[in-house]
Amino acid sequence: MRADALERRNAIVGAARAVFTQRGHDAPLDAVAELANVGIATLYRNFPTREDLVTAVAVATLTDAREAAETALAGMPTDPSLAWQSLVDRLVELKLGALIPALVERSFAEFPPKVLEARELTKTQMTAAIRAAQSAGLVRPDLHPFEFVLALARLTRPHPELSDEAIPNLVPRLVAIFVAGLRPDGTDLPV
């Protein structure tokens, strides 16, 4: 694939992630094309069906999560606290809670092989990163990696605008409370 074609394709996937995060996975694809600064025909040349685009978004999201886990693993030997917090922060940035509904409408057995492969690679690295955080005493030993990812996804789901007005920085606060609760040493909750 030519560099400019790859750049356009990546722009479409990035735009789809943003649009799906804000408007749900059934948002009009012309909104994705507009945000990506491409015509709808270009979007459909790259992704002939909505399912193709959802698959690309799933693979991109899983790849980003895997890379975050790999980065955390690499940082654990020198600064485990920073590595763990960076992993949490990156997963929150990915807004998993907004994207997961598009990924779980069906069983994992129904996903294309690309998604299943990306999921397995991500699961392996995420498990290793969480185990490393547990070994460093940052995370309670009974936390299952799936529980961790699922909880972050729940916390980062889109909330009604009213909650943002009533409690500014609600998601970061909820995530900080959750992460503090994972510590095995009884660390106080953030203020």
Side-chain angles (χ1 to χ4, degrees):
M1 185 178 286
R2 291 185 349 237
D4 60 332
L6 181 61
E7 188 176 317
R8 267 193 306 278
R9 184 177 176 85
N10 290 339
I12 293 168
V13 172
R17 286 170 76 165
V19 170
F20 293 169
T21 297
Q22 291 181 339
R23 298 173 65 177
H25 67 280
D26 57 350
L29 294 184
D30 60 343
V32 173
E34 182 179 336
L35 186 60
N37 291 318
V38 300
I40 194 72
T42 299
L43 184 146
Y44 278 111
R45 265 194 307 280
N46 282 274
F47 303 100
T49 68
R50 178 181 295 275
E51 188 63 30
D52 293 334
L53 184 55
V54 168
T55 295
V57 169
V59 170
T61 302
L62 289 165
T63 299
D64 286 349
R66 185 193 77 237
E67 289 171 353
E70 289 169 349
T71 300
L73 270 171
M76 285 288 176
T78 55
D79 192 343
S81 293
L82 178 62
W84 174 245
Q85 190 59 53
S86 296
L87 173 61
V88 171
D89 291 345
R90 180 63 180 129
L91 294 177
V92 169
E93 285 173 19
L94 289 175
K95 298 182 179 170
L96 298 175
L99 294 171
I100 283 183
L103 306 179
V104 296
E105 284 190 333
R106 58 199 117 106
S107 74
F108 278 109
E110 297 176 70
F111 279 112
K114 277 193 282 194
V115 175
L116 295 175
E117 180 182 335
R119 178 181 173 263
E120 284 306 309
L121 292 170
T122 301
K123 186 170 118 180
T124 298
Q125 293 303 310
M126 194 64 64
T127 299
I130 290 169
R131 298 292 180 244
Q134 288 168 326
S135 294
L138 298 172
V139 178
R140 49 187 301 132
D142 59 347
L143 177 70
H144 188 279
F146 184 71
E147 294 170 332
F148 170 70
V149 172
L150 187 59
L152 277 182
R154 290 287 208 180
L155 292 172
T156 59
R157 287 173 60 183
H159 295 92
E161 287 184 34
L162 179 60
S163 63
D164 290 338
E165 293 171 13
I167 306 171
N169 299 314
L170 176 64
V171 171
R173 170 103 172 119
L174 292 175
V175 170
I177 291 167
F178 169 66
V179 170
L182 294 177
R183 292 188 65 91
D185 60 6
T187 299
D188 291 335
L189 294 176
V191 288

